Amino acid sequence: MKNLMTRRSIRQYSDKEVSAELLNRLMTEASRTQTMGNLQLYSVVVTRSPEMKAKLAPAHFNQPMVTQAPVVLTICADFNRTSTWARCRNAEPGYDNFLSFINAATDALLYTQTLCNLMDEEGLGYCYLGTTVYQPQAIIDLLELPKLTFPVATLTVGWPDEEPPLSDRLPMESFVHEETYNDYLAMDIDKYYEDKEHRPENLEFVRINNKETLAQVFTDIRYTRKDNEAMSEGLIYALKRQGFLPWTVRGF
């Protein structure tokens, strides 16, 4: 059993199979997580075939673990099932709006985190792919997601074939606020980010990218304004296509 304090993202996996019995048990147990209105506003698409993983990979910038992992899980915000249930029971749903997307996305992400914790306990390795919302329309088309469903998280899953070093974390006092939010002064930033900025791996990160600070690596290279704005347009477009936003909303 792993401890959360030693949790690692695993990107290299052994050839050992992840059995359907084990995965189904963990996905069932994860369904006990909290959910809005007890509606379980999520669905999971399980991908095992090499052909489908190869098709998914470009939507995740061809990160190698997508094709190398035995299993890829795409967790979707899902108001389609609930809406269909309502119509089948002579009830008229009103979930084609942004609030409903937020509620379903919250449910889906809570489920995802619970599933991750359960996989940790079993010794499984996984990597959470934030790229899921970068090119959502490609995933929607490939997985044939109906309206009122939307991919919000992807996990590559398998038995670990590596033990990478622990990644750094900011101290608790940097993100916990008592009673009200206390905004940050420059002196607070210096204190909270000192360890992160002076770790050898991060100093090397700055050097190889020819930047002055670690922050510049993130703003100028990893998560740029240009990319954020372009992918935001794609996200808004996909939300419109899936019925969670009206076409009158600006952004595309």
Side-chain angles (χ1 to χ4, degrees), residues 12-24:
Q12 296 181 31
Y13 306 95
S14 74
D15 294 332
K16 181 181 176 182
E17 177 190 9
V18 177
S19 71
E21 179 183 15
L22 172 60
L23 186 59
N24 290 344

Side-chain angles (χ1 to χ4, degrees), residues 43-252:
S43 286
V44 184
V45 179
V46 181
T47 303
R48 289 182 179 271
S49 77
E51 295 78 14
M52 283 296 287
K53 286 187 285 186
K55 291 178 181 178
L56 272 174
H60 296 288
F61 300 97
N62 290 307
Q63 296 177 85
M65 58 272 198
V66 176
T67 53
Q68 199 252 335
V71 182
V72 176
L73 303 178
T74 305
I75 300 93
C76 304
D78 186 348
F79 247 119
N80 173 63
R81 183 182 64 251
T82 300
S83 296
T84 301
W85 169 62
R87 293 190 182 96
C88 288
R89 298 296 180 266
N90 198 31
E92 185 56 38
Y95 308 123
D96 53 345
N97 46 68
F98 189 60
L99 177 62
S100 297
F101 168 70
I102 292 296
N103 287 332
T106 300
D107 260 25
L109 292 173
L110 285 169
Y111 177 86
T112 301
Q113 186 57 63
T114 300
L115 181 59
C116 287
N117 292 344
L118 292 170
M119 291 193 295
D120 277 328
E121 292 179 359
E122 292 291 335
L124 281 167
Y126 59 86
C127 186
Y128 179 100
L129 304 185
T131 47
T132 307
V133 293
Y134 289 178
Q135 300 183 81
Q137 193 60 55
I139 299 172
I140 290 166
D141 293 342
L142 180 62
L143 300 184
E144 301 179 10
L145 301 183
K147 285 194 172 184
L148 299 187
T149 60
F150 204 92
V152 294
T154 299
L155 299 174
T156 58
V157 182
W159 300 101
D161 195 30
E162 64 170 343
E163 190 172 352
L166 289 175
S167 54
D168 59 82
R169 291 292 185 269
L170 295 173
M172 186 200 73
E173 57 266 28
S174 71
F175 57 82
V176 174
H177 303 259
E178 297 291 344
E179 307 299 345
T180 60
Y181 189 103
N182 297 305
D183 208 353
Y184 301 95
L185 302 174
M187 61 183 294
D188 300 321
I189 297 299
D190 290 343
K191 175 183 176 183
Y192 297 147
Y193 284 83
E194 180 178 10
D195 178 70
K196 184 183 191 76
E197 292 177 332
H198 289 87
R199 285 178 171 258
E201 62 270 26
N202 287 336
L203 291 171
E204 178 65 7
F205 205 21
V206 173
R207 186 193 68 80
I208 63 176
N209 284 286
N210 297 312
K211 292 297 177 181
E212 295 177 2
T213 68
L214 183 62
Q216 289 177 351
V217 175
F218 284 86
T219 60
D220 299 353
I221 297 175
R222 295 196 68 185
Y223 307 111
T224 68
R225 176 183 294 275
K226 179 181 178 182
D227 288 345
N228 287 337
E229 291 178 348
M231 288 186 288
S232 291
E233 289 188 355
L235 180 60
I236 291 170
Y237 172 75
L239 284 168
K240 292 176 180 179
R241 284 279 303 269
Q242 293 305 101
F244 284 114
L245 279 180
W247 284 98
T248 54
V249 172
R250 295 180 62 186
F252 186 84

Side-chain angles (χ1 to χ4, degrees), residues 22-40:
L22 172 60
L23 186 59
N24 290 344
R25 175 171 65 81
L26 297 180
M27 290 193 293
T28 299
E29 291 175 3
S31 69
R32 297 305 306 170
T33 197
Q34 54 267 58
T35 169
M36 192 198 83
N38 203 31
L39 290 172
Q40 296 178 253

